[in-house]
Amino acid sequence: MFSLPPRNKSLQLIMLFFSDASIIFPKVDRPSFIQRYHDAKRNEQSLWEDTEPSAANRESVQSLLLMTHYNQGAQQPERAWNAHGLAVRTAYKIGLHSKAALADLMRSEMEALKRTWHGCVVLDRLLAMTLGRPGNSS
């Protein structure tokens, strides 16, 4: 299980992410993430608790995509490839690739799911090109 850094450091890192990195990687919705962070701190639980791949939800896909970006930047291509493969398989499992799965959702949730799937596809193409491997998404 992962634990969060002290509150002031956590908030500083979150704000840094949303001011810099989220512009390039718009996978995580700022208001819902900050709300989840505050809820986790209030309940003294891990943010990762409900985002493990076995949970198969949008947040788990987003977490795996962010881990992929981190591993890619940390020069750990095998870890990046594995995390991304898991992200894509989880995305397929919850139907992010299917327009039918988005039909009855509120507009904000539909947009978040589309961005997450788009992040899977773009990162898939980037990793396939850089690592010389076939892609995971179609």
Side-chain angles (χ1 to χ4, degrees), residues 36-107:
R36 185 175 169 93
Y37 167 78
H38 288 302
D39 291 347
K41 283 303 257 186
R42 192 173 19 260
N43 298 328
E44 296 183 3
Q45 63 185 153
S46 168
L47 283 175
W48 182 252
E49 204 166 271
D50 293 330
T51 59
E52 291 187 38
S54 61
N57 55 37
R58 175 176 49 94
E59 291 85 4
S60 63
V61 176
Q62 291 171 333
S63 296
L64 288 162
L65 290 175
L66 291 172
M67 283 191 278
T68 301
H69 284 296
Y70 171 79
N71 284 315
Q72 184 183 20
Q75 303 298 312
Q76 298 188 15
E78 290 302 317
R79 287 185 179 181
W81 182 256
N82 290 335
H84 184 261
L86 194 51
V88 170
R89 288 189 298 279
T90 305
Y92 277 129
K93 182 177 182 179
I94 62 175
L96 292 186
H97 65 291
S98 167
K99 290 182 182 179
L102 305 175
D104 298 328
L105 299 174
M106 291 185 347
R107 185 172 175 83

Side-chain angles (χ1 to χ4, degrees), residues 15-27 66:
M15 292 306 136
L16 183 63
F17 171 80
F18 283 110
S19 68
D20 294 346
S22 73
I23 295 167
I24 300 169
F25 313 118
K27 296 167 191 62
L66 291 172

